[in-house]
Amino acid sequence: MIYPYSPAFRAEIADRCAAFPRVPYDGADLKRSAVAIALVDADDGSGETAFLLTRRTSKLRSHAGQWALPGGRCDHGETLEETALRELHEELGLAIEPHAVLGVLDDYVTRSGYAITPVVAWLGHGAVPTPNPEEVASVHRIRLDHIGHEDAVEFITIPESERPVIRLRMGEGMVHAPTAALIYQLRELAAGRITRVLELEQPVFAWR
C-alpha cells in the first residue's frame, strides 16, 4: 500500500480523522499531555507521506535517549491541540496554524500516570525541522508505507502483565509503547482501519 504526500491523501486522512470514533480518557487523576503526529513529505524522492519521530537527548531526566513523538504536558488552560502544536514548535522549531490539525486519536494511559493524546497534523511542503538540542538528539522521517509492513509490528508477552507488549521495528532498533501504540493506531487509520490501542502494554522499564 502507498500513501502519497498529496492533497488527495491529505483529504482522505482528514476524512478518516473526522469520522474516527475517538475514545478519550475521562478521569481526573492522571496528568494530561499531547503529542504531535506531524505528517510530512518523506523527502527521499519517493513522494510518500512520513511522520516526524525524534530521539530524545541523553540530557533529559526522564526517558533519555528514547524514541518519541514531539509532545509534552499540557499547560493550564491549553487545549490538547494547542499543546501538541506548542511542543512541535518548541522541540522542532515548526510553527503551523491550527487549521493544519486533521484530528485527534484515542488517549493512551501510561504506567507513569499520564493520559497522552495524539494530535494528527499535516505539514506543508518545505517544512524543515530545527531540533532543539536541549531536548532532541535527532529527528527522523518515518514513512507510512514502511510501518505498514506486516513485520514492522510485533506483540510479545511478559510475565508481569496479561496485556500484550507492542514493539515497532525502526531499522535496527525498536520503539515501545506508549509511542509505539500511538504510531500503530496511526498506521491502522492510514490503512482505513479503526484499531484500539489502550490495552497494548508498555515494557517494564517504562513503568515509572
Side-chain angles (χ1 to χ4, degrees):
M1 187 174 291
I2 62 172
Y3 303 99
Y5 182 77
S6 66
F9 184 62
R10 183 193 189 282
E12 186 177 330
I13 288 293
D15 287 345
R16 289 178 181 169
C17 285
F20 185 78
R22 165 172 149 75
V23 178
Y25 171 74
D26 60 2
D29 55 331
L30 297 181
K31 299 179 283 288
R32 300 308 306 255
S33 66
V35 298
I37 300 180
L39 300 177
V40 295
D41 184 350
D43 197 30
D44 60 358
S46 66
E48 289 287 315
T49 302
F51 64 92
L52 298 177
L53 187 68
T54 72
R55 199 76 185 250
R56 293 165 62 86
T57 71
S58 58
K59 307 173 187 177
L60 296 172
R61 289 184 299 173
S62 60
H63 310 299
Q66 292 185 15
W67 293 104
L69 294 162
R73 191 166 178 175
C74 297
D75 286 345
H76 180 71
E78 274 188 330
T79 67
L80 297 166
E81 293 88 345
E82 287 170 344
T83 297
L85 297 189
R86 173 178 56 78
E87 291 286 347
L88 185 64
H89 183 247
E90 290 178 0
E91 293 186 24
L92 298 181
L94 295 168
I96 61 174
E97 297 298 322
H99 63 73
V101 172
L102 303 185
V104 181
L105 304 185
D106 288 348
D107 290 344
Y108 181 88
V109 175
T110 74
R111 290 278 188 172
S112 57
Y114 281 86
I116 302 176
T117 302
V119 176
V120 182
W122 187 274
L123 276 62
H125 281 286
V128 179
T130 305
N132 177 349
E134 295 300 313
E135 299 186 55
V136 178
S138 59
V139 58
H140 306 263
R141 296 177 187 239
I142 309 299
R143 284 169 48 172
L144 295 183
D145 61 333
H146 287 176
I147 65 168
H149 294 161
E150 184 176 347
D151 61 357
V153 182
E154 67 179 34
F155 303 94
I156 63 171
T157 58
I158 57 174
E160 294 85 355
S161 176
E162 296 181 353
R163 297 159 56 190
V165 174
I166 183 172
R167 305 196 302 192
L168 286 177
R169 295 185 184 278
M170 293 292 174
E172 298 300 317
M174 286 285 188
V175 180
H176 300 87
T179 299
L182 306 180
I183 294 172
Y184 181 61
Q185 190 165 63
L186 170 71
R187 163 191 135 141
E188 295 294 281
L189 181 76
R193 299 185 291 266
I194 296 172
T195 303
R196 303 301 179 190
V197 296
L198 184 58
E199 290 307 310
L200 298 178
E201 183 62 276
Q202 300 172 248
V204 174
F205 67 76
W207 288 19
R208 59 186 185 279

